């Protein structure tokens, strides 16, 4: 009998505890006339934020898995800004799902985001482009790139801009959003070596086999030209005033290609003079047809 009474008392205590817990969970805090939040709502929000944090960490780990350590730091900074934005959106959606009237907050947030977006549109484009560069690794420090007709060696990649040094040793600051608007040529993505071309024309009637031999000699003798792949000469075209040739060779540093190409042109001119090969200039034959009138 005493055991039954003890069980009844325990049940009453548990029921009382549950009722008190329910009362505590349903306790509301009124911030404004339209916004009232209960303790249960707060616990739900905390749980949702915790789950969101775990998902964001997983996403961050996946996105930065193949990034170098330096780029991971840059990406984490940008991801941190977007993370707070995601938290804000999740918070508002969760509160709205719990029945909290957040219409006014949604309206104010939307208006604020639109205003900020319009004011900082280019900045956001630069940052987003910088994130894309870090993720897909399309450009690295040391790469030689050409964009919008400008060529430079990349010295630093930031979230908003890419800094490169031109052949004339000028600093080229490229806003990252230009990568979205223009075609980017990465001269060295396939390797540091590049194939370069020097074009030349010779007079009609020249010994084309001799010309080929001299062009190969001029390019191969330069110390900066790599032996492999071998130098190639193309008979490019029968031009209006000349037989057009291209000599193709490989350099280890295309950024300074102008100097070796200039040296090779000097050597071509010397060899052509030595072997009496003529580089013609454009010529035009003018025929004048005159009429005489009898007086």
């Amino acid at each position: 009998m005493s055991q039954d009474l003890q069980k009844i008392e325990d049940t009453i205590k548990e029921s009382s505890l549950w009722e008190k817990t329910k009362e505590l969970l349903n306790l509301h805090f009124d911030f404004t006339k339209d916004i009232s939040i209960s303790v249960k709502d707060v616990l739900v929000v905390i749980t949702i934020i915790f789950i969101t944090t775990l998902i964001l960490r997983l996403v961050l780990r996946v996105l930065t898995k193949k990034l170098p350590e330096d780029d991971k730091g840059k990406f984490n900074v940008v991801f941190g800004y977007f993370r707070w934005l995601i938290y804000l959106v999740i918070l508002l959606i969760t509160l709205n799902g719990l029945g909290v009237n957040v219409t006014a907050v949604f309206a104010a947030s939307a208006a604020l985001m639109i205003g900020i977006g319009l004011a900082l549109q280019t900045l956001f484009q630069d940052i987003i482009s910088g994130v894309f560069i870090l993720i897909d690794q399309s450009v690295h420090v040391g790469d030689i790139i050409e964009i919008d007709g400008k060529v430079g060696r990349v010295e630093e990649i930031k979230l908003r801009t890419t800094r490169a040094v031109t052949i004339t040793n000028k600093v080229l600051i490229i806003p990252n959003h230009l990568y979205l608007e223009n075609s980017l040529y990465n001269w060295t993505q396939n390797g540091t070596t590049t194939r370069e071309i020097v074009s030349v024309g010779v007079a009609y009637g020249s010994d084309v086999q001799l010309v080929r031999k001299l062009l190969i000699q001029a390019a191969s003798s330069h110390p900066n030209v790599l032996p492999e792949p071998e130098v190639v000469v193309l008979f490019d075209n029968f031009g209006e005033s000349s037989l057009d040739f291209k000599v193709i060779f490989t350099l280890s540093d295309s950024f300074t290609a102008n100097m070796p190409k200039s040296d090779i042109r000097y050597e071509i001119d010397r060899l052509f003079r030595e072997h009496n090969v003529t580089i013609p200039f454009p010529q035009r034959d003018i025929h004048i047809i005159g009429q005489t009138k009898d007086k």
Side-chain angles (χ1 to χ4, degrees), residues 169-184:
N169 202 34
K170 297 177 181 177
V171 177
L172 181 63
I173 301 176
I174 307 170
N176 287 336
H177 75 268
L178 291 180
Y179 293 119
L180 299 178
E181 301 174 358
N182 298 275
S183 296
L184 171 68

Side-chain angles (χ1 to χ4, degrees), residues 223-280:
N224 290 355
V225 174
L226 300 179
E228 295 291 338
E230 65 181 9
V231 177
V232 175
V233 174
L234 296 181
F235 192 153
D236 191 47
N237 196 17
F238 293 95
E240 292 185 3
S241 304
S242 63
L243 304 174
D244 299 330
F245 290 83
K246 287 182 179 179
V247 54
I248 305 172
F249 50 90
T250 305
L251 295 177
S252 60
D253 185 4
S254 59
F255 191 62
T256 58
N258 284 340
M259 292 305 297
K261 289 166 77 171
S262 175
D263 293 340
I264 291 172
R265 292 187 183 99
Y266 276 118
E267 182 65 10
I268 290 173
D269 180 72
R270 186 188 71 79
L271 291 173
F272 279 8
R273 291 177 182 274
E274 184 177 309
H275 292 82
N276 297 318
V277 177
T278 303
I279 299 177

Side-chain angles (χ1 to χ4, degrees), residues 2-284:
S2 60
Q3 291 180 350
D4 293 339
L5 290 174
Q6 184 64 37
K7 288 182 180 179
I8 293 173
E9 288 179 359
D10 292 342
T11 303
I12 293 173
K13 288 180 180 179
E14 291 176 359
S15 177
S16 176
L17 180 61
W18 173 245
E19 291 297 329
K20 289 181 179 179
T21 303
K22 287 177 64 177
E23 289 179 4
L24 178 62
L25 292 175
N26 292 324
L27 180 63
H28 279 70
F29 299 94
D30 298 327
F31 294 95
T32 66
K33 181 176 65 176
D34 298 323
I35 299 179
S36 178
I37 300 176
S38 67
V39 175
K40 181 174 65 176
D41 294 339
V42 173
L43 293 177
V44 171
V45 169
I46 292 174
T47 304
I48 295 297
I49 293 298
F50 177 73
I51 294 174
T52 303
T53 301
L54 294 180
I55 294 174
L56 289 175
R57 287 180 179 177
L58 178 61
V59 171
L60 178 61
R61 183 175 299 178
V62 171
L63 292 177
T64 60
K65 184 177 181 180
K66 297 182 179 180
L67 292 182
E69 289 300 324
D70 293 341
D71 292 341
K72 283 184 179 180
K74 299 175 184 177
F75 186 84
N76 287 339
V77 173
V78 177
F79 192 82
Y81 294 137
F82 284 101
R83 180 175 59 192
W84 290 112
L85 178 61
I86 293 173
Y87 282 149
L88 176 61
V89 173
I90 293 295
L91 175 63
L92 294 176
I93 292 176
T94 303
L95 292 176
N96 186 65
L98 293 172
V100 179
N101 186 2
V102 292
T103 305
V105 179
F106 267 121
S109 300
L112 178 62
M113 293 305 297
I114 291 173
I116 294 176
L118 292 176
L120 302 177
Q121 182 178 4
T122 303
L123 176 62
F124 288 154
Q125 287 180 344
D126 288 337
I127 293 177
I128 291 172
S129 301
V131 171
F132 287 158
I133 293 172
L134 294 178
I135 292 176
D136 64 21
Q137 295 288 286
S138 57
V139 178
H140 300 81
V141 173
D143 284 353
I144 300 171
I145 62 172
E146 179 181 352
I147 185 169
D148 197 23
K150 301 178 179 64
V151 178
R153 190 194 299 275
V154 176
E155 297 290 333
E156 186 178 19
I157 302 174
K158 295 186 176 182
L159 290 175
R160 195 183 68 82
T161 60
T162 297
R163 296 175 182 267
V165 176
T166 66
I167 298 173
T168 55
N169 202 34
K170 297 177 181 177
V171 177
L172 181 63
I173 301 176
I174 307 170
N176 287 336
H177 75 268
L178 291 180
Y179 293 119
L180 299 178
E181 301 174 358
N182 298 275
S183 296
L184 171 68
Y185 297 93
N186 192 327
W187 290 11
T188 52
Q189 189 170 34
N190 292 332
T192 57
T193 61
T194 56
R195 296 286 272 176
E196 302 293 337
I197 297 175
V198 169
S199 300
V200 65
V202 299
Y204 275 91
S206 301
D207 185 344
V208 293
Q209 294 301 325
L210 175 61
V211 170
R212 178 178 180 274
K213 176 182 176 182
L214 296 178
L215 291 177
I216 292 176
Q217 179 182 340
S220 301
S221 62
H222 197 281
N224 290 355
V225 174
L226 300 179
E228 295 291 338
E230 65 181 9
V231 177
V232 175
V233 174
L234 296 181
F235 192 153
D236 191 47
N237 196 17
F238 293 95
E240 292 185 3
S241 304
S242 63
L243 304 174
D244 299 330
F245 290 83
K246 287 182 179 179
V247 54
I248 305 172
F249 50 90
T250 305
L251 295 177
S252 60
D253 185 4
S254 59
F255 191 62
T256 58
N258 284 340
M259 292 305 297
K261 289 166 77 171
S262 175
D263 293 340
I264 291 172
R265 292 187 183 99
Y266 276 118
E267 182 65 10
I268 290 173
D269 180 72
R270 186 188 71 79
L271 291 173
F272 279 8
R273 291 177 182 274
E274 184 177 309
H275 292 82
N276 297 318
V277 177
T278 303
I279 299 177
F281 52 86
Q283 300 181 35
R284 294 289 184 272

